[in-house]
Amino acid sequence: MKVSLFVTCLIDLFYTNAGKATVELLKRLGCEMDFPEAQTCCGQPAYNSGYVKEAKEAMKHMIRTFEHADYVVTPSGSCATMLKEYPRVFQGDREWESKAKALADKTYELTQFIVDVLKVEDVGAKFQGRATYHTSCHMTRLLGVKEAPFKLLKNVKGLELVPLPNAYQCCGFGGTFSVKMGTISEQMVDEKIEHIEEVNADYLIGADCGCLMNIGGRLKRQGKPIKVMHIAEVLNSR
């Protein structure tokens, strides 16, 4: 199975280990990996800020970049959601609507791809530790991927996974929300950290690097020993 990796900006710049883990994991599961080097930002920050015209240029570039792909897989529920949004953005555009739909239809978030396409729920991972899982807003509410991460984590040998209280509350990141509404965002992430501490977790696992960056940064500022990890890193542990 040929898979093209959409690595995302945050993984490329800040969480390279999550990108490496994604490639190693999918290769181990029998996928032939391809990395189109022309890929850029999917346009989400500009689009969500109201710069639709400018965002469309980035979207068109991404459509062209992944036109050859059989499957596009990304270790980010948020960015996968944006690619799924392309057909609506280009609705009525004779040249780009069908191309946008073609990209959206073959795009998957990592855990969604493993469970729903590869039909695998046990990747043979081993990881010792007590952890809880943060469900990101875009991945669960917009993309609709809710069960796949838990199905995979349940089969990680040695991992003690405990439920996170009020799991579906936003961590306060929300892209530009955390910049525009910094004080409110800070209160939201503090509440999230309280719930993580409530279950005595040593690790916080997530599937969106924006959330992990937000929560992890706040944990570091508060001097908390809790480590954040992308789910790809856990699933790639041996």
Side-chain angles (χ1 to χ4, degrees):
M1 187 172 289
K2 295 181 179 179
V3 173
S4 293
L5 175 66
F6 169 31
V7 77
T8 82
C9 301
L10 288 182
I11 289 180
D12 183 44
L13 295 172
F14 300 111
Y15 291 91
T16 53
N17 284 340
K20 293 175 184 176
T22 298
V23 172
E24 291 173 1
L25 175 61
L26 290 177
K27 279 187 174 180
R28 197 167 71 244
L29 293 175
C31 297
E32 180 183 335
M33 298 299 298
D34 166 54
F35 180 74
E37 294 187 11
Q39 64 183 275
T40 58
C41 176
C42 62
Q44 183 176 177
Y47 181 73
N48 289 346
S49 298
Y51 295 98
V52 179
K53 181 180 177 182
E54 291 81 0
K56 279 185 174 181
E57 293 307 309
M59 294 176 190
K60 290 175 183 178
H61 177 76
M62 288 292 283
I63 291 170
R64 288 190 293 262
T65 300
F66 286 98
E67 205 161 13
H68 72 285
D70 292 339
Y71 292 95
V72 178
V73 176
T74 178
S76 167
S78 178
C79 295
T81 298
M82 189 66 237
L83 265 60
K84 294 285 189 182
E85 186 76 1
Y86 280 16
R88 193 185 70 80
V89 176
F90 288 102
Q91 188 173 6
D93 188 312
R94 291 182 180 180
E95 181 182 358
W96 291 99
E97 183 178 5
S98 61
K99 294 179 180 180
K101 187 177 186 304
L103 176 57
D105 288 346
K106 63 185 177 183
T107 296
Y108 294 86
E109 181 274 331
L110 174 64
T111 64
Q112 177 190 33
F113 181 74
I114 294 173
V115 173
D116 295 344
V117 179
L118 298 182
K119 305 298 182 184
V120 173
E121 294 187 7
D122 187 344
V123 298
K126 297 179 182 178
F127 186 86
Q128 295 291 329
R130 181 179 173 90
T132 192
Y133 179 82
H134 167 67
T135 54
S136 65
C137 298
H138 277 189
M139 185 161 160
T140 54
R141 298 172 189 173
L142 300 181
L143 192 61
V145 177
K146 299 177 182 179
E147 300 301 325
F150 293 102
K151 288 179 180 179
L152 293 166
L153 291 173
K154 180 181 69 175
N155 290 307
V156 175
K157 294 176 178 62
L159 177 65
E160 182 185 0
L161 189 67
V162 293
L164 181 63
N166 296 323
Y168 288 97
Q169 284 186 353
C170 178
C171 72
F173 178 61
T176 55
F177 172 83
S178 60
V179 178
K180 296 176 181 177
M181 304 288 182
T183 302
I184 298 173
S185 174
E186 181 181 307
Q187 293 172 350
M188 292 170 73
V189 73
D190 282 348
E191 185 175 0
K192 180 67 67 174
I193 289 172
E194 287 175 10
H195 294 314
I196 297 168
E197 290 185 304
E198 188 179 327
V199 296
N200 297 312
D202 299 314
Y203 297 91
L204 173 72
I205 301 170
D208 264 309
C209 287
C211 300
L212 294 178
M213 182 173 66
N214 186 46
I215 301 169
R218 189 62 175 162
L219 284 166
K220 187 174 181 180
R221 290 187 199 99
Q222 292 182 350
K224 309 287 186 183
I226 301 164
K227 184 178 179 181
V228 300
M229 293 186 70
H230 192 281
I231 192 169
E233 297 175 281
V234 178
L235 296 177
N236 194 48
S237 300
R238 305 287 282 174

